[in-house]
Amino acid sequence: MKNIFAATLLGSVLIGCNTKEVAYQPTAEVGLRAPAYPLITIDPYTSGWSFSDNLYDTPVRHWTGQDQQLIGVVQVDGQNYRFMGEEKVPMQLIVPTFEKENWAALYTTDAPKGEWTAENYDASSWKEGKGSFGSPGRLKAITSWTTPDIWVRREVSIDADMINRDLFIEYSHDDGVEIYINGYREVNTGNSARANVMHRMSDEAKKRLKPGKNMIAVHCNDGGGESFLDFGIWMRKDNEQKFTQTAQQKSVNVLPTRTFYSFEAGGVQLDVIFTAPLLMDNLDLMTRPVNYITYQAKSIDGGNHDVSVYIEGSPQWAQDVVHQPTVSEHVDNGSLHLLKSGTKSQQILGKSGDNVRIDWGYVYFAAPKQSNITSAIGVAADVQEQFSKNGALNNAYNPSATGDLTEAMEALSIAHQLGSVGADYSTGYVMLAYDDLYSIQYFGDNLRPYWNRSGNVTITDQIQAAMKEYSSIMAKCADFDAKLMEEATAAGGKEYAELCALAYRQAISAHKLVEAPNKDLLWLSKENFSNGSIGTVDVTYPSAPLFLYYNPELAKGLLNHIFFYSESGKWTKPFPSHDVGTYPLANGQTYGGDMPVEEGGNMLALTAAIAAIEGNAKYAEKHWDVLTTWTDYLVEKGLDPENQLCTDDFAGHFAHNVNLSVKAIMGIASYGYLADMLGKKDVAEKYTGKAKEMAQEWMKMADDGDHYRLTFDKPGTWSQKYNLIWNKLLKYNIFPESVAQKEIAYYLTKQNVYGLPLDSRREYTKSDWIIWTATLADDDATFQKFIAPIHKFYSETTDRVPMSDWYNTGNKTHVGFQARSVVGGYYIKMLENKLNNLNGK
């Protein structure tokens, strides 16, 4: 399959019309096959991805993996070809999950002896409990589970006529889970955590089922952080799928703000472009919660063809789980088809956590109102039948009788009759928007999204503005993508540029921008699929290069909440907090452990980087007292850190961490750098001198011959010293250049097929840190030797999820984490170029 590198705009778009003079055309090819393709990227909640090579092979999914119904069909001369998503048919829940029923089970947290999965196993000594099971206080946990492992046996009843039907096991787990059906292991996830997975039951498992009583036995392991377990069984109802025939996908390409697909069907070429205008020089546009789905069709066989395009959405975009009752409506609007849906309960900011989706506010599917564009809301089978017969919809509202999507899938659909299509393109677009009403709770205050920070703008205003500005926005995105790819290629080569392109939307959409009561920008990350924390400092640190490069005000927004937390007296320790809560509730740290040296070094280095980009230290001056407190802590504790947490403690934390010591020294050097910029020469001399003194001691303590150690007390070990990057980028000269180059030479002897391991303990790595490490290299060829294996991993990984930054360097699998903001750290090489240019190098 061919991938496309860039795109040019031909002509000017006429809003919603099937004009013959417009096309967005790809112009070059790239080799990266994304593990997952970004489609809709608005914020940590409103998210849609394709987890497969072909857009029609699997459902469109939220970054967590839960289905988000989004179907696309092109009708050519009366024949329907599905080009996006997967049809869903109604399902019946025959073994309830906890949302429908607090189900009864026997469980134990002590490893059972014997064949505990067998139907006749004696579990009389086990405890009785109600599902679900999980961490205390977690909204979804009915029975508390706090140990590393839990074993559950649940007796269920299944009718004879159900056994031969299409059955699905729905399960949610944190972390790894094994599920047995009458003794047969049907599911084994390994070390992962997901919610509401729908697993089609295999024929072998169904052979084990029998009318009446059956046993589901489950083992779940909590690898750390939150724990959770829930499961049930669904049966597919009889339903004829309307769109079984697919178009043929010819190419796909990910650019920074857009994803391009091209298909062929019935003598027609159809291009589909997903656009998220995440342009950081315009924060109102960047935070406008509207994405575009553009389609353009032309004949490729010399004839004319009658063409219509159908886009179907679902209330799932506004649900955490599919069981939640929803209400949908056609919004009366003179210029727009405006289809709206949301949950009935509307518990605004009512839940927090990691593997959850938004269930307050409203999703909108919209298109310009004109004679050849029609819309409908109703039972999916009925709406699909309308389009299949007519290539158009009846502009009617016929919702499901129950509002329960498990009984009758509901569709919010838009159809565009492009008419007779010849050799010139005919085009149109649909918009997907989300109004979350309130986005973040910040120390007790509920904050609106940045685009509506004053409370005087409506989502309809935003959608109408998006329609009015469609042509100019598409042109801006085309220009931005071309410039970014050019700059990234110049900085690090073609493969590096492709990684930056894939990382761009993921990094930005893992944040939410709000305005604090004191008018500070708060650019708050969600720690996706690691623990759900909000505003985590050691997630901010690796992601920051992207925002330092494009808008230092956003870089400040990554830090403002941490400064406020300390300066307000709400956080009283002499080092920064780890986080300010669990997304979206930013009311104070919820993580169970502190990271004193880690977070202190992070905050100081990033504050210095902001000063370097802006050419002044005014931001640091505002926070000088707390920066001084943090620096003095690093002076006292940083050279040989005690046994404490750091960001790379995947294999366990330990004392005497050599790379953590580098971070402390860089933090102290950053304070000296800032003091010098502020004219505090005595202070600058004192702390810069202290950093140099510590660096000399570090070199003696860490030396291991041809490299430096993982911990000061363990010879024969090694680790990536990516924290040295600030010594190079900010020209500190605290460490001699020879330190980094000795490390680089050693790393090249330790690379595996998919990259450089994080350290000598395991073969797994962090891709963001590899790129920081690679940027320590003093020539382009060496830099690219570290980049090529990362590119290879993402192109070949068998784990089809949004970019995971934590993966195995010896095989094609990831360890954990996905869709995290830390891939913004890939821009560290581009940041180096920018700083060099600012310094006149």
Side-chain angles (χ1 to χ4, degrees), residues 18-184:
N18 50 314
T19 172
K20 306 295 185 183
E21 56 179 315
V22 174
Y24 297 92
Q25 287 297 326
T27 58
E29 298 182 6
V30 296
L32 180 63
R33 183 230 64 182
Y37 293 91
L39 308 178
I40 304 297
T41 49
I42 291 177
D43 62 21
Y45 281 141
T46 305
S47 170
W49 295 71
S50 173
F51 283 40
S52 54
D53 288 336
N54 296 311
L55 185 56
Y56 45 73
D57 283 344
T58 55
V60 172
R61 293 186 170 123
H62 191 270
W63 64 259
T64 58
Q66 179 161 299
D67 293 355
Q68 301 271 47
Q69 183 79 336
L70 193 60
I71 292 176
V73 178
V74 60
Q75 187 177 97
V76 182
D77 300 328
Q79 291 291 311
N80 295 311
Y81 303 87
R82 178 166 44 86
F83 62 82
M84 174 172 63
E86 189 176 81
E87 285 182 83
K88 293 295 180 184
V89 297
M91 307 273 279
Q92 179 181 343
L93 189 59
I94 61 174
V95 174
T97 54
F98 91 99
E99 287 98 343
K100 284 289 187 180
E101 176 185 303
N102 295 162
W103 44 270
L106 297 176
Y107 74 98
T108 182
T109 55
D110 298 320
K113 298 179 181 178
E115 298 295 326
W116 66 275
T117 66
E119 297 175 68
N120 59 356
Y121 179 78
D122 181 7
S124 58
S125 63
W126 291 23
K127 299 175 183 178
E128 295 182 2
K130 297 286 187 180
S132 60
F133 297 83
S135 303
R138 181 164 176 169
L139 290 174
K140 292 184 175 181
I142 307 302
T143 299
S144 176
W145 159 39
T146 60
T147 58
D149 294 270
I150 191 169
W151 291 262
V152 176
R153 287 174 57 85
R154 179 183 180 186
E155 188 177 272
V156 303
S157 181
I158 298 180
D159 294 342
D161 63 348
M162 297 177 176
I163 292 176
N164 293 322
R165 301 284 288 278
D166 210 0
L167 300 180
F168 295 79
I169 304 172
E170 179 186 1
Y171 58 91
S172 300
H173 59 108
D174 193 346
D175 295 304
V177 69
E178 298 173 280
I179 301 177
Y180 297 80
I181 305 294
N182 290 334
Y184 176 77

Side-chain angles (χ1 to χ4, degrees), residues 41 47 107 117 146 160 183 194 200 215-216 261 275 294 315 367 372-373 397 451 498 621 637 654 684 749 814:
T41 49
S47 170
Y107 74 98
T117 66
T146 60
R194 288 183 64 189
R200 180 181 274 108
M215 177 57 62
I216 306 178
Y261 285 90
T275 303
T294 298
N372 61 344
I373 297 179
Y397 171 46
W451 61 266
E498 293 170 9
E621 190 172 27
K637 300 285 190 178
F654 46 74
T749 71
H814 80 299

Side-chain angles (χ1 to χ4, degrees), residues 413-435:
S413 302
I414 294 170
H416 188 169
Q417 291 178 300
L418 296 174
S420 181
V421 171
D424 296 322
Y425 272 111
S426 296
T427 188
Y429 65 93
V430 166
M431 294 170 284
L432 192 157
Y434 204 97
D435 183 6

Side-chain angles (χ1 to χ4, degrees), residues 278 282-290 450-451 462 513 523:
L278 300 174
N282 183 338
L283 297 184
D284 286 300
L285 175 60
M286 184 193 80
T287 60
R288 178 185 291 165
V290 184
Y450 183 83
W451 61 266
Q462 292 290 296
L513 186 66
W523 186 223

Side-chain angles (χ1 to χ4, degrees), residues 249-441:
Q249 186 173 306
K250 305 302 291 185
S251 65
V252 58
N253 163 61
V254 178
L255 295 174
T257 66
R258 298 167 299 161
T259 300
F260 281 78
Y261 285 90
S262 186
F263 307 90
E264 292 181 4
V268 167
Q269 177 179 317
L270 175 73
D271 303 325
V272 181
I273 308 164
F274 297 87
T275 303
L278 300 174
L279 304 176
M280 286 182 269
D281 62 346
N282 183 338
L283 297 184
D284 286 300
L285 175 60
M286 184 193 80
T287 60
R288 178 185 291 165
V290 184
N291 278 196
Y292 302 103
I293 306 173
T294 298
Y295 42 87
Q296 52 191 35
K298 68 176 182 179
S299 173
I300 54 175
D301 65 359
N304 282 12
H305 300 277
D306 187 62
V307 177
S308 294
V309 174
Y310 172 86
I311 305 291
E312 175 185 306
S314 154
Q316 280 183 293
W317 288 80
Q319 294 174 301
D320 180 21
V321 293
V322 74
H323 315 287
Q324 294 174 288
T326 61
V327 59
S328 303
E329 63 175 307
H330 257 123
V331 179
D332 187 26
N333 184 281
S335 60
L336 289 165
H337 289 273
L338 202 54
L339 314 181
K340 172 185 178 182
S341 189
T343 59
K344 291 181 178 179
S345 61
Q346 287 299 307
Q347 300 295 312
I348 296 174
L349 296 168
K351 64 178 61 172
S352 62
D354 190 2
N355 198 352
V356 295
R357 289 136 300 274
I358 195 167
D359 59 5
W360 66 88
Y362 299 92
V363 65
Y364 292 80
F365 299 90
K369 186 173 283 186
Q370 56 192 56
S371 60
N372 61 344
I373 297 179
T374 52
S375 62
I377 300 176
V379 175
D382 297 339
V383 176
Q384 292 167 5
E385 183 68 16
Q386 289 178 42
F387 179 78
S388 294
K389 290 182 176 180
N390 308 311
L393 303 172
N394 62 9
N395 293 321
Y397 171 46
N398 296 298
S400 115
T402 65
D404 185 343
L405 303 189
T406 64
E407 299 299 321
M409 298 301 296
E410 190 166 78
L412 292 85
S413 302
I414 294 170
H416 188 169
Q417 291 178 300
L418 296 174
S420 181
V421 171
D424 296 322
Y425 272 111
S426 296
T427 188
Y429 65 93
V430 166
M431 294 170 284
L432 192 157
Y434 204 97
D435 183 6
D436 59 2
L437 307 176
Y438 287 90
S439 302
I440 300 293
Q441 187 174 94

Side-chain angles (χ1 to χ4, degrees), residues 75 167 200 240 246 470 543 657 711 721 778 809:
Q75 187 177 97
L167 300 180
R200 180 181 274 108
E240 182 182 351
T246 64
Y470 172 74
S543 73
N657 186 329
T711 62
K721 309 301 189 301
D778 57 8
T809 61

